[in-house]
Amino acid sequence: DIEKDQNIIKLANNFTITGVIGGIKPFGSGHINDTYRICNADKNEPDFLLQRINHHIFKDVGALTDNILYVTNHIKNKLRLIPGADIDKQVLTLIKTGNNLFYHKDENGNYWRMYRFMQNTKSYDVVTTTRQAYQGGLAFGNFQTMLEDVDASKLTEIIPDFHNILFRLKQFEQAMSEDKFNRVKDVKPEILFINQHADGMAEIERMGKAGQLPLRVTHNDTKFNNVLLDENDVAQCVIDLDTIMPGYTAFDFGDAVRTIINRAPEDEADLEKIQLNMPLFKAFAEGFLSQTVQYMGAAEIRSLVKGVLLLPYMIGVRFLTDYLNGDVYYKVKFAGHNLQRARAQFQLVKKLEENYAELYAIVMQTVNDNKSSNGTEDL
Ligand code: ATP
Ligand code: MG
Ligand code: MG
């Protein structure tokens, strides 16, 4: 409605935008932040993207913004050294407010930020072709590579223990012991599955703590729709930088694969339909490793396939925890939705386990192909 539109325009005008606002549209399929496209009436000036930051999830908007600025500035400085790089296209640009800040707090206590809009791009919710999967791998791999020399301690851990499975298991045990909705009795097989796998799934965390895996700067939300592709389906830019923080490469690799390799939706009820799409996995791995293999060590490379098992396990634990807690975190469409989601993720873990040797072989083959084309030795 008109009043709401006027309000969005007013909010947009807090930022130092160039040109003249020609119109606004709700935009994208993200479900964390509210996003609007601010169209420019001046065709020589870019459009902008206005987002209301979800400050219930991201409680420290200042630190969140500092993380994004640190990372985008770092990437920009590197792109400046690359002949032919197009900085405005290859990395997000935050727009300042009139008060020289990179976010605006409105009178209702909501936080807003603005990015330069990436013209003529698209994002896909579901990957369908190996070309897309490869491009997604390139994008997330390149992103990782751009940040390879960042000291992870420069960034704030914006959601502490976000991908720490030991923490997630603790939350699960808490929910089990409280059993507020008397649901524990219905999920015995799932509890058994979680317990049988808990020790093995903690390996990345253990290796990290022991200094056997480098703590890097990771994206932590590597869904495929967080990559923008250009009109030729070529990766252009990684977006959605809210969860950037210290982490292990296996998290980004594993979460991306989780959303690419499953032939069924995340909450599939018919477990028979949960099958692996190996060609998409291979294509993603090829894209990712082509960018990252130069600096990853042997332990880190091996950790990638562990991450492929860990991430669906972790999200499954979180779904089941939420089921026991009475569905307070994830929005549910029907009773038992969180349980169904957990079952689907655990089924995916089973499938991945059955095919572990093949997943591993694909990664190693890709690594060796890259190494030999770089003139270095086999791993
Ligand atoms: P998620 O649910 O993945 O956390 P989100 O709510 O955090 O999403 P974003 O991913 O930041 O929101 O943005 C939502 C959508 O808007 C993206 O999927 C993409 O299609 C589009 N988008 C985001 N940033 C830009 C940009 N700078 N230029 C063009 N389109 C963009
Ligand atoms: Mg997103
Ligand atoms: Mg997001």
Side-chain angles (χ1 to χ4, degrees), residues 172-215:
F172 170 67
E173 271 149 34
Q174 175 83 22
M176 257 201 314
S177 66
E178 290 177 6
D179 196 14
K180 286 186 203 150
F181 292 83
N182 193 27
R183 289 177 173 176
V184 166
K185 63 175 180 5
D186 305 326
V187 298
K188 292 284 179 207
E190 288 73 25
I191 293 173
L192 186 67
F193 183 87
I194 289 176
N195 289 337
Q196 280 172 340
H197 287 77
D199 190 54
M201 292 290 180
E203 197 176 344
I204 288 177
E205 210 55 45
R206 275 197 299 269
M207 289 176 74
K209 291 283 168 318
Q212 293 161 355
L213 288 178
L215 190 64

mmCIF file of all heavy atoms in Angstrom, residues 172-215:
data_model
loop_
_atom_site.group_PDB
_atom_site.id
_atom_site.type_symbol
_atom_site.label_atom_id
_atom_site.label_comp_id
_atom_site.label_asym_id
_atom_site.label_seq_id
_atom_site.Cartn_x
_atom_site.Cartn_y
_atom_site.Cartn_z
ATOM 1 N N PHE A 172 20.489 -30.307 22.365
ATOM 2 C CA PHE A 172 19.612 -31.457 22.154
ATOM 3 C C PHE A 172 19.400 -32.222 23.460
ATOM 4 O O PHE A 172 18.274 -32.582 23.824
ATOM 5 C CB PHE A 172 20.219 -32.353 21.071
ATOM 6 C CG PHE A 172 19.535 -33.669 20.929
ATOM 7 C CD1 PHE A 172 18.230 -33.759 20.461
ATOM 8 C CD2 PHE A 172 20.193 -34.846 21.280
ATOM 9 C CE1 PHE A 172 17.589 -34.981 20.346
ATOM 10 C CE2 PHE A 172 19.563 -36.068 21.162
ATOM 11 C CZ PHE A 172 18.261 -36.142 20.693
ATOM 12 N N GLU A 173 20.496 -32.446 24.186
ATOM 13 C CA GLU A 173 20.369 -33.166 25.454
ATOM 14 C C GLU A 173 19.516 -32.404 26.464
ATOM 15 O O GLU A 173 18.711 -32.988 27.192
ATOM 16 C CB GLU A 173 21.757 -33.454 26.046
ATOM 17 C CG GLU A 173 22.290 -34.785 25.534
ATOM 18 C CD GLU A 173 23.796 -34.815 25.413
ATOM 19 O OE1 GLU A 173 24.471 -34.173 26.257
ATOM 20 O OE2 GLU A 173 24.293 -35.467 24.477
ATOM 21 N N GLN A 174 19.682 -31.110 26.463
ATOM 22 C CA GLN A 174 18.858 -30.238 27.311
ATOM 23 C C GLN A 174 17.371 -30.434 26.971
ATOM 24 O O GLN A 174 16.535 -30.640 27.862
ATOM 25 C CB GLN A 174 19.282 -28.784 27.038
ATOM 26 C CG GLN A 174 18.449 -27.734 27.732
ATOM 27 C CD GLN A 174 18.907 -27.531 29.156
ATOM 28 O OE1 GLN A 174 20.054 -27.848 29.492
ATOM 29 N NE2 GLN A 174 18.020 -27.043 30.006
ATOM 30 N N ALA A 175 17.063 -30.395 25.684
ATOM 31 C CA ALA A 175 15.661 -30.545 25.246
ATOM 32 C C ALA A 175 15.129 -31.921 25.632
ATOM 33 O O ALA A 175 13.978 -32.067 26.047
ATOM 34 C CB ALA A 175 15.561 -30.326 23.735
ATOM 35 N N MET A 176 15.998 -32.943 25.511
ATOM 36 C CA MET A 176 15.579 -34.302 25.875
ATOM 37 C C MET A 176 15.280 -34.398 27.353
ATOM 38 O O MET A 176 14.297 -35.008 27.771
ATOM 39 C CB MET A 176 16.704 -35.289 25.538
ATOM 40 C CG MET A 176 16.422 -36.061 24.285
ATOM 41 S SD MET A 176 17.352 -37.589 24.183
ATOM 42 C CE MET A 176 18.996 -37.143 24.637
ATOM 43 N N SER A 177 16.146 -33.808 28.173
ATOM 44 C CA SER A 177 15.949 -33.970 29.611
ATOM 45 C C SER A 177 14.734 -33.158 30.067
ATOM 46 O O SER A 177 14.041 -33.556 30.994
ATOM 47 C CB SER A 177 17.213 -33.609 30.392
ATOM 48 O OG SER A 177 17.473 -32.247 30.261
ATOM 49 N N GLU A 178 14.456 -32.051 29.405
ATOM 50 C CA GLU A 178 13.251 -31.286 29.785
ATOM 51 C C GLU A 178 11.982 -31.975 29.254
ATOM 52 O O GLU A 178 10.977 -32.016 29.937
ATOM 53 C CB GLU A 178 13.337 -29.858 29.245
ATOM 54 C CG GLU A 178 14.390 -29.035 29.964
ATOM 55 C CD GLU A 178 14.534 -27.631 29.393
ATOM 56 O OE1 GLU A 178 13.741 -27.254 28.511
ATOM 57 O OE2 GLU A 178 15.455 -26.931 29.838
ATOM 58 N N ASP A 179 12.068 -32.471 28.050
ATOM 59 C CA ASP A 179 10.938 -33.168 27.400
ATOM 60 C C ASP A 179 9.598 -32.482 27.660
ATOM 61 O O ASP A 179 8.618 -33.121 28.059
ATOM 62 C CB ASP A 179 10.907 -34.632 27.863
ATOM 63 C CG ASP A 179 10.020 -35.500 26.955
ATOM 64 O OD1 ASP A 179 9.663 -35.034 25.841
ATOM 65 O OD2 ASP A 179 9.680 -36.627 27.359
ATOM 66 N N LYS A 180 9.567 -31.200 27.379
ATOM 67 C CA LYS A 180 8.421 -30.349 27.732
ATOM 68 C C LYS A 180 7.106 -30.834 27.131
ATOM 69 O O LYS A 180 6.046 -30.586 27.673
ATOM 70 C CB LYS A 180 8.665 -28.923 27.219
ATOM 71 C CG LYS A 180 9.675 -28.133 28.010
ATOM 72 C CD LYS A 180 9.724 -26.684 27.485
ATOM 73 C CE LYS A 180 11.051 -26.036 27.832
ATOM 74 N NZ LYS A 180 11.478 -25.031 26.872
ATOM 75 N N PHE A 181 7.158 -31.468 25.981
ATOM 76 C CA PHE A 181 5.913 -31.856 25.293
ATOM 77 C C PHE A 181 5.715 -33.363 25.248
ATOM 78 O O PHE A 181 4.931 -33.864 24.451
ATOM 79 C CB PHE A 181 5.893 -31.237 23.888
ATOM 80 C CG PHE A 181 5.768 -29.743 23.934
ATOM 81 C CD1 PHE A 181 6.890 -28.941 24.133
ATOM 82 C CD2 PHE A 181 4.518 -29.141 23.842
ATOM 83 C CE1 PHE A 181 6.766 -27.559 24.224
ATOM 84 C CE2 PHE A 181 4.382 -27.757 23.922
ATOM 85 C CZ PHE A 181 5.522 -26.965 24.111
ATOM 86 N N ASN A 182 6.500 -34.063 26.074
ATOM 87 C CA ASN A 182 6.363 -35.513 26.159
ATOM 88 C C ASN A 182 6.530 -36.170 24.778
ATOM 89 O O ASN A 182 5.787 -37.069 24.401
ATOM 90 C CB ASN A 182 4.989 -35.850 26.775
ATOM 91 C CG ASN A 182 4.912 -37.307 27.185
ATOM 92 O OD1 ASN A 182 5.962 -37.930 27.481
ATOM 93 N ND2 ASN A 182 3.722 -37.881 27.188
ATOM 94 N N ARG A 183 7.520 -35.700 24.028
ATOM 95 C CA ARG A 183 7.715 -36.207 22.676
ATOM 96 C C ARG A 183 8.906 -37.172 22.575
ATOM 97 O O ARG A 183 9.067 -37.831 21.543
ATOM 98 C CB ARG A 183 7.935 -35.042 21.699
ATOM 99 C CG ARG A 183 6.673 -34.236 21.473
ATOM 100 C CD ARG A 183 6.913 -33.034 20.562
ATOM 101 N NE ARG A 183 5.636 -32.392 20.231
ATOM 102 C CZ ARG A 183 5.505 -31.282 19.512
ATOM 103 N NH1 ARG A 183 6.597 -30.677 19.030
ATOM 104 N NH2 ARG A 183 4.325 -30.768 19.256
ATOM 105 N N VAL A 184 9.690 -37.236 23.623
ATOM 106 C CA VAL A 184 10.885 -38.087 23.565
ATOM 107 C C VAL A 184 10.501 -39.531 23.245
ATOM 108 O O VAL A 184 11.165 -40.211 22.473
ATOM 109 C CB VAL A 184 11.695 -37.997 24.889
ATOM 110 C CG1 VAL A 184 12.729 -39.116 24.987
ATOM 111 C CG2 VAL A 184 12.372 -36.633 25.007
ATOM 112 N N LYS A 185 9.369 -39.962 23.826
ATOM 113 C CA LYS A 185 8.944 -41.360 23.637
ATOM 114 C C LYS A 185 8.697 -41.705 22.164
ATOM 115 O O LYS A 185 8.776 -42.861 21.770
ATOM 116 C CB LYS A 185 7.687 -41.643 24.467
ATOM 117 C CG LYS A 185 6.480 -40.818 24.061
ATOM 118 C CD LYS A 185 5.257 -41.239 24.851
ATOM 119 C CE LYS A 185 3.988 -40.466 24.524
ATOM 120 N NZ LYS A 185 3.959 -39.490 23.464
ATOM 121 N N ASP A 186 8.403 -40.690 21.345
ATOM 122 C CA ASP A 186 8.086 -40.951 19.938
ATOM 123 C C ASP A 186 9.310 -40.919 19.014
ATOM 124 O O ASP A 186 9.171 -41.158 17.814
ATOM 125 C CB ASP A 186 7.096 -39.896 19.411
ATOM 126 C CG ASP A 186 5.846 -39.816 20.279
ATOM 127 O OD1 ASP A 186 5.442 -40.865 20.802
ATOM 128 O OD2 ASP A 186 5.313 -38.696 20.435
ATOM 129 N N VAL A 187 10.459 -40.562 19.542
ATOM 130 C CA VAL A 187 11.608 -40.353 18.653
ATOM 131 C C VAL A 187 12.811 -41.202 19.051
ATOM 132 O O VAL A 187 13.955 -40.809 18.817
ATOM 133 C CB VAL A 187 11.991 -38.849 18.574
ATOM 134 C CG1 VAL A 187 10.832 -38.044 17.995
ATOM 135 C CG2 VAL A 187 12.379 -38.287 19.921
ATOM 136 N N LYS A 188 12.529 -42.374 19.595
ATOM 137 C CA LYS A 188 13.625 -43.243 20.056
ATOM 138 C C LYS A 188 14.612 -43.598 18.936
ATOM 139 O O LYS A 188 15.830 -43.537 19.139
ATOM 140 C CB LYS A 188 13.056 -44.513 20.696
ATOM 141 C CG LYS A 188 12.320 -44.248 22.006
ATOM 142 C CD LYS A 188 13.277 -43.986 23.152
ATOM 143 C CE LYS A 188 12.506 -43.701 24.391
ATOM 144 N NZ LYS A 188 12.792 -43.000 25.462
ATOM 145 N N PRO A 189 14.143 -43.975 17.740
ATOM 146 C CA PRO A 189 15.121 -44.328 16.696
ATOM 147 C C PRO A 189 16.005 -43.140 16.308
ATOM 148 O O PRO A 189 17.200 -43.316 16.041
ATOM 149 C CB PRO A 189 14.246 -44.741 15.504
ATOM 150 C CG PRO A 189 12.887 -44.990 16.052
ATOM 151 C CD PRO A 189 12.747 -44.162 17.287
ATOM 152 N N GLU A 190 15.422 -41.940 16.294
ATOM 153 C CA GLU A 190 16.201 -40.756 15.934
ATOM 154 C C GLU A 190 17.240 -40.450 17.012
ATOM 155 O O GLU A 190 18.381 -40.074 16.703
ATOM 156 C CB GLU A 190 15.270 -39.550 15.724
ATOM 157 C CG GLU A 190 14.427 -39.614 14.459
ATOM 158 C CD GLU A 190 13.289 -40.625 14.522
ATOM 159 O OE1 GLU A 190 12.827 -40.946 15.648
ATOM 160 O OE2 GLU A 190 12.859 -41.113 13.457
ATOM 161 N N ILE A 191 16.839 -40.628 18.280
ATOM 162 C CA ILE A 191 17.788 -40.396 19.374
ATOM 163 C C ILE A 191 18.950 -41.382 19.265
ATOM 164 O O ILE A 191 20.123 -41.015 19.418
ATOM 165 C CB ILE A 191 17.084 -40.519 20.747
ATOM 166 C CG1 ILE A 191 16.079 -39.379 20.910
ATOM 167 C CG2 ILE A 191 18.107 -40.501 21.882
ATOM 168 C CD1 ILE A 191 15.203 -39.479 22.150
ATOM 169 N N LEU A 192 18.605 -42.623 18.962
ATOM 170 C CA LEU A 192 19.655 -43.633 18.806
ATOM 171 C C LEU A 192 20.611 -43.245 17.671
ATOM 172 O O LEU A 192 21.835 -43.325 17.817
ATOM 173 C CB LEU A 192 18.999 -44.991 18.515
ATOM 174 C CG LEU A 192 19.943 -46.186 18.465
ATOM 175 C CD1 LEU A 192 20.534 -46.442 19.857
ATOM 176 C CD2 LEU A 192 19.211 -47.440 17.965
ATOM 177 N N PHE A 193 20.052 -42.792 16.577
ATOM 178 C CA PHE A 193 20.878 -42.375 15.439
ATOM 179 C C PHE A 193 21.823 -41.242 15.846
ATOM 180 O O PHE A 193 23.025 -41.280 15.557
ATOM 181 C CB PHE A 193 19.974 -41.918 14.277
ATOM 182 C CG PHE A 193 20.736 -41.529 13.043
ATOM 183 C CD1 PHE A 193 21.082 -42.479 12.085
ATOM 184 C CD2 PHE A 193 21.129 -40.217 12.832
ATOM 185 C CE1 PHE A 193 21.797 -42.132 10.946
ATOM 186 C CE2 PHE A 193 21.851 -39.855 11.696
ATOM 187 C CZ PHE A 193 22.177 -40.813 10.756
ATOM 188 N N ILE A 194 21.271 -40.264 16.533
ATOM 189 C CA ILE A 194 22.104 -39.125 16.961
ATOM 190 C C ILE A 194 23.240 -39.621 17.857
ATOM 191 O O ILE A 194 24.407 -39.269 17.659
ATOM 192 C CB ILE A 194 21.244 -38.068 17.695
ATOM 193 C CG1 ILE A 194 20.329 -37.364 16.688
ATOM 194 C CG2 ILE A 194 22.133 -37.054 18.425
ATOM 195 C CD1 ILE A 194 19.363 -36.362 17.309
ATOM 196 N N ASN A 195 22.893 -40.447 18.833
ATOM 197 C CA ASN A 195 23.919 -40.899 19.782
ATOM 198 C C ASN A 195 24.992 -41.749 19.123
ATOM 199 O O ASN A 195 26.178 -41.619 19.421
ATOM 200 C CB ASN A 195 23.263 -41.647 20.944
ATOM 201 C CG ASN A 195 22.493 -40.689 21.842
ATOM 202 O OD1 ASN A 195 22.770 -39.481 21.868
ATOM 203 N ND2 ASN A 195 21.514 -41.219 22.564
ATOM 204 N N GLN A 196 24.564 -42.619 18.214
ATOM 205 C CA GLN A 196 25.550 -43.487 17.547
ATOM 206 C C GLN A 196 26.543 -42.682 16.711
ATOM 207 O O GLN A 196 27.664 -43.123 16.485
ATOM 208 C CB GLN A 196 24.830 -44.492 16.654
ATOM 209 C CG GLN A 196 24.266 -45.658 17.436
ATOM 210 C CD GLN A 196 23.390 -46.556 16.574
ATOM 211 O OE1 GLN A 196 22.899 -46.140 15.517
ATOM 212 N NE2 GLN A 196 23.186 -47.784 17.024
ATOM 213 N N HIS A 197 26.119 -41.515 16.236
ATOM 214 C CA HIS A 197 26.978 -40.743 15.349
ATOM 215 C C HIS A 197 27.721 -39.605 16.037
ATOM 216 O O HIS A 197 28.589 -38.985 15.432
ATOM 217 C CB HIS A 197 26.145 -40.160 14.204
ATOM 218 C CG HIS A 197 25.731 -41.181 13.194
ATOM 219 N ND1 HIS A 197 24.700 -42.064 13.421
ATOM 220 C CD2 HIS A 197 26.217 -41.464 11.966
ATOM 221 C CE1 HIS A 197 24.565 -42.850 12.371
ATOM 222 N NE2 HIS A 197 25.471 -42.521 11.472
ATOM 223 N N ALA A 198 27.330 -39.337 17.296
ATOM 224 C CA ALA A 198 27.816 -38.103 17.937
ATOM 225 C C ALA A 198 29.341 -38.024 17.961
ATOM 226 O O ALA A 198 29.922 -36.990 17.632
ATOM 227 C CB ALA A 198 27.245 -37.998 19.342
ATOM 228 N N ASP A 199 29.979 -39.108 18.327
ATOM 229 C CA ASP A 199 31.428 -39.052 18.488
ATOM 230 C C ASP A 199 32.132 -38.784 17.154
ATOM 231 O O ASP A 199 32.983 -37.905 17.052
ATOM 232 C CB ASP A 199 31.922 -40.364 19.106
ATOM 233 C CG ASP A 199 33.377 -40.243 19.505
ATOM 234 O OD1 ASP A 199 33.690 -39.294 20.264
ATOM 235 O OD2 ASP A 199 34.198 -41.056 19.023
ATOM 236 N N GLY A 200 31.753 -39.504 16.135
ATOM 237 C CA GLY A 200 32.381 -39.316 14.820
ATOM 238 C C GLY A 200 32.145 -37.928 14.262
ATOM 239 O O GLY A 200 33.024 -37.345 13.626
ATOM 240 N N MET A 201 30.969 -37.389 14.518
ATOM 241 C CA MET A 201 30.624 -36.082 13.966
ATOM 242 C C MET A 201 31.381 -34.952 14.658
ATOM 243 O O MET A 201 31.409 -33.836 14.156
ATOM 244 C CB MET A 201 29.116 -35.843 14.076
ATOM 245 C CG MET A 201 28.296 -36.757 13.190
ATOM 246 S SD MET A 201 28.510 -36.358 11.429
ATOM 247 C CE MET A 201 27.415 -37.603 10.701
ATOM 248 N N ALA A 202 31.968 -35.244 15.811
ATOM 249 C CA ALA A 202 32.701 -34.202 16.534
ATOM 250 C C ALA A 202 34.141 -34.058 16.029
ATOM 251 O O ALA A 202 34.896 -33.235 16.538
ATOM 252 C CB ALA A 202 32.689 -34.501 18.029
ATOM 253 N N GLU A 203 34.499 -34.832 15.023
ATOM 254 C CA GLU A 203 35.907 -34.874 14.619
ATOM 255 C C GLU A 203 36.435 -33.521 14.121
ATOM 256 O O GLU A 203 37.550 -33.117 14.451
ATOM 257 C CB GLU A 203 36.118 -35.948 13.553
ATOM 258 C CG GLU A 203 37.587 -36.280 13.443
ATOM 259 C CD GLU A 203 37.886 -37.403 12.474
ATOM 260 O OE1 GLU A 203 36.941 -38.134 12.118
ATOM 261 O OE2 GLU A 203 39.054 -37.515 12.085
ATOM 262 N N ILE A 204 35.627 -32.836 13.317
ATOM 263 C CA ILE A 204 36.085 -31.534 12.800
ATOM 264 C C ILE A 204 36.353 -30.582 13.960
ATOM 265 O O ILE A 204 37.383 -29.893 14.004
ATOM 266 C CB ILE A 204 35.059 -30.958 11.806
ATOM 267 C CG1 ILE A 204 35.108 -31.780 10.509
ATOM 268 C CG2 ILE A 204 35.310 -29.477 11.533
ATOM 269 C CD1 ILE A 204 34.086 -31.375 9.461
ATOM 270 N N GLU A 205 35.436 -30.565 14.896
ATOM 271 C CA GLU A 205 35.600 -29.695 16.069
ATOM 272 C C GLU A 205 36.874 -30.067 16.847
ATOM 273 O O GLU A 205 37.658 -29.203 17.227
ATOM 274 C CB GLU A 205 34.349 -29.843 16.949
ATOM 275 C CG GLU A 205 33.974 -28.631 17.746
ATOM 276 C CD GLU A 205 33.801 -27.364 16.916
ATOM 277 O OE1 GLU A 205 33.160 -27.391 15.840
ATOM 278 O OE2 GLU A 205 34.348 -26.334 17.351
ATOM 279 N N ARG A 206 37.080 -31.372 17.033
ATOM 280 C CA ARG A 206 38.284 -31.829 17.759
ATOM 281 C C ARG A 206 39.548 -31.448 17.017
ATOM 282 O O ARG A 206 40.510 -30.947 17.608
ATOM 283 C CB ARG A 206 38.257 -33.359 17.921
ATOM 284 C CG ARG A 206 37.465 -33.855 19.118
ATOM 285 C CD ARG A 206 37.844 -35.312 19.438
ATOM 286 N NE ARG A 206 37.555 -36.215 18.324
ATOM 287 C CZ ARG A 206 36.400 -36.855 18.175
ATOM 288 N NH1 ARG A 206 35.425 -36.706 19.055
ATOM 289 N NH2 ARG A 206 36.208 -37.650 17.144
ATOM 290 N N MET A 207 39.551 -31.693 15.716
ATOM 291 C CA MET A 207 40.752 -31.369 14.922
ATOM 292 C C MET A 207 41.030 -29.865 14.957
ATOM 293 O O MET A 207 42.175 -29.435 15.042
ATOM 294 C CB MET A 207 40.570 -31.829 13.475
ATOM 295 C CG MET A 207 40.607 -33.330 13.311
ATOM 296 S SD MET A 207 40.268 -33.792 11.587
ATOM 297 C CE MET A 207 41.829 -33.342 10.802
ATOM 298 N N GLY A 208 39.957 -29.093 14.881
ATOM 299 C CA GLY A 208 40.127 -27.639 14.925
ATOM 300 C C GLY A 208 40.756 -27.202 16.233
ATOM 301 O O GLY A 208 41.733 -26.450 16.253
ATOM 302 N N LYS A 209 40.209 -27.708 17.322
ATOM 303 C CA LYS A 209 40.708 -27.327 18.648
ATOM 304 C C LYS A 209 42.160 -27.763 18.819
ATOM 305 O O LYS A 209 42.939 -27.105 19.492
ATOM 306 C CB LYS A 209 39.839 -27.944 19.747
ATOM 307 C CG LYS A 209 38.427 -27.374 19.842
ATOM 308 C CD LYS A 209 38.412 -26.022 20.514
ATOM 309 C CE LYS A 209 37.085 -25.267 20.399
ATOM 310 N NZ LYS A 209 36.370 -25.283 19.129
ATOM 311 N N ALA A 210 42.508 -28.877 18.182
ATOM 312 C CA ALA A 210 43.877 -29.396 18.306
ATOM 313 C C ALA A 210 44.825 -28.705 17.322
ATOM 314 O O ALA A 210 46.001 -29.074 17.219
ATOM 315 C CB ALA A 210 43.875 -30.907 18.071
ATOM 316 N N GLY A 211 44.331 -27.744 16.584
ATOM 317 C CA GLY A 211 45.193 -27.025 15.646
ATOM 318 C C GLY A 211 45.478 -27.779 14.362
ATOM 319 O O GLY A 211 46.387 -27.422 13.609
ATOM 320 N N GLN A 212 44.699 -28.821 14.085
ATOM 321 C CA GLN A 212 44.938 -29.607 12.869
ATOM 322 C C GLN A 212 44.146 -29.102 11.669
ATOM 323 O O GLN A 212 44.346 -29.580 10.547
ATOM 324 C CB GLN A 212 44.593 -31.077 13.139
ATOM 325 C CG GLN A 212 45.549 -31.704 14.147
ATOM 326 C CD GLN A 212 44.988 -32.976 14.777
ATOM 327 O OE1 GLN A 212 43.840 -33.343 14.536
ATOM 328 N NE2 GLN A 212 45.815 -33.630 15.585
ATOM 329 N N LEU A 213 43.237 -28.169 11.919
ATOM 330 C CA LEU A 213 42.502 -27.538 10.811
ATOM 331 C C LEU A 213 42.619 -26.032 10.982
ATOM 332 O O LEU A 213 42.441 -25.525 12.098
ATOM 333 C CB LEU A 213 41.011 -27.911 10.849
ATOM 334 C CG LEU A 213 40.611 -29.327 10.474
ATOM 335 C CD1 LEU A 213 39.093 -29.492 10.636
ATOM 336 C CD2 LEU A 213 41.040 -29.667 9.054
ATOM 337 N N PRO A 214 42.916 -25.304 9.923
ATOM 338 C CA PRO A 214 43.016 -23.856 10.072
ATOM 339 C C PRO A 214 41.643 -23.219 10.292
ATOM 340 O O PRO A 214 40.669 -23.583 9.626
ATOM 341 C CB PRO A 214 43.616 -23.391 8.740
ATOM 342 C CG PRO A 214 43.378 -24.498 7.790
ATOM 343 C CD PRO A 214 43.226 -25.766 8.564
ATOM 344 N N LEU A 215 41.596 -22.315 11.257
ATOM 345 C CA LEU A 215 40.380 -21.529 11.462
ATOM 346 C C LEU A 215 40.405 -20.415 10.424
ATOM 347 O O LEU A 215 41.335 -19.622 10.373
ATOM 348 C CB LEU A 215 40.365 -20.943 12.873
ATOM 349 C CG LEU A 215 39.052 -20.306 13.303
ATOM 350 C CD1 LEU A 215 37.926 -21.333 13.365
ATOM 351 C CD2 LEU A 215 39.199 -19.611 14.653
#
